[in-house]
Amino acid sequence: MQTLDGSGVSSNVHSANPAVDARHASNASTPLTDSQAEFWYLIECQGCKELAQSLKMVHDLALYHSDVPFDTAEKSALFDVNLLVEGFQKMAGKV
């Protein structure tokens, strides 16, 4: 799938953190580091549904209730937040 500028959706050119490529995330053979395990523990304790609702609220406040102009980096960051929202919603649906 392509975006309006012709680049693919999977392109990390405009990502807030271009060094991170999430395609390796499904590699189950790599054990989690201590910080990653702690992060997943916090997500499980807080709840995926609650985190999704909170992030969606922050996303919507920034996008729809702010007079601050958005540049490429800000748009990319909001897209990244929206990806987290969708991921948490999917996780909450599978629980």
Side-chain angles (χ1 to χ4, degrees), residues 16-49:
N17 189 356
V20 176
D21 186 354
R23 287 179 282 191
H24 73 282
S26 63
N27 186 357
S29 64
T30 305
L32 294 177
T33 64
D34 289 341
S35 61
Q36 290 171 329
E38 182 179 349
F39 178 72
W40 281 116
Y41 175 75
L42 293 172
I43 289 173
E44 289 175 352
C45 290
Q46 179 65 29
C48 295
K49 181 179 177 183

Side-chain angles (χ1 to χ4, degrees), residues 7-84:
S7 64
V9 171
S10 63
S11 173
N12 276 340
V13 174
H14 300 296
S15 176
N17 189 356
V20 176
D21 186 354
R23 287 179 282 191
H24 73 282
S26 63
N27 186 357
S29 64
T30 305
L32 294 177
T33 64
D34 289 341
S35 61
Q36 290 171 329
E38 182 179 349
F39 178 72
W40 281 116
Y41 175 75
L42 293 172
I43 289 173
E44 289 175 352
C45 290
Q46 179 65 29
C48 295
K49 181 179 177 183
E50 291 79 6
L51 284 170
Q53 290 171 343
S54 296
L55 284 173
K56 182 68 174 162
M57 183 181 298
V58 170
H59 173 274
D60 291 349
L61 283 170
L63 187 60
Y64 302 118
H65 302 287
S66 174
D67 295 333
V68 177
F70 291 103
D71 199 5
T72 304
E74 289 85 3
K75 288 179 184 178
S76 178
L78 282 174
F79 179 76
D80 292 344
V81 169
N82 198 43
L83 285 177
L84 282 172

Side-chain angles (χ1 to χ4, degrees), residues 47-53 84-95:
C48 295
K49 181 179 177 183
E50 291 79 6
L51 284 170
Q53 290 171 343
L84 282 172
V85 169
E86 291 174 1
F88 286 140
Q89 287 172 338
K90 288 178 184 177
M91 289 172 64
K94 291 182 180 178
V95 174

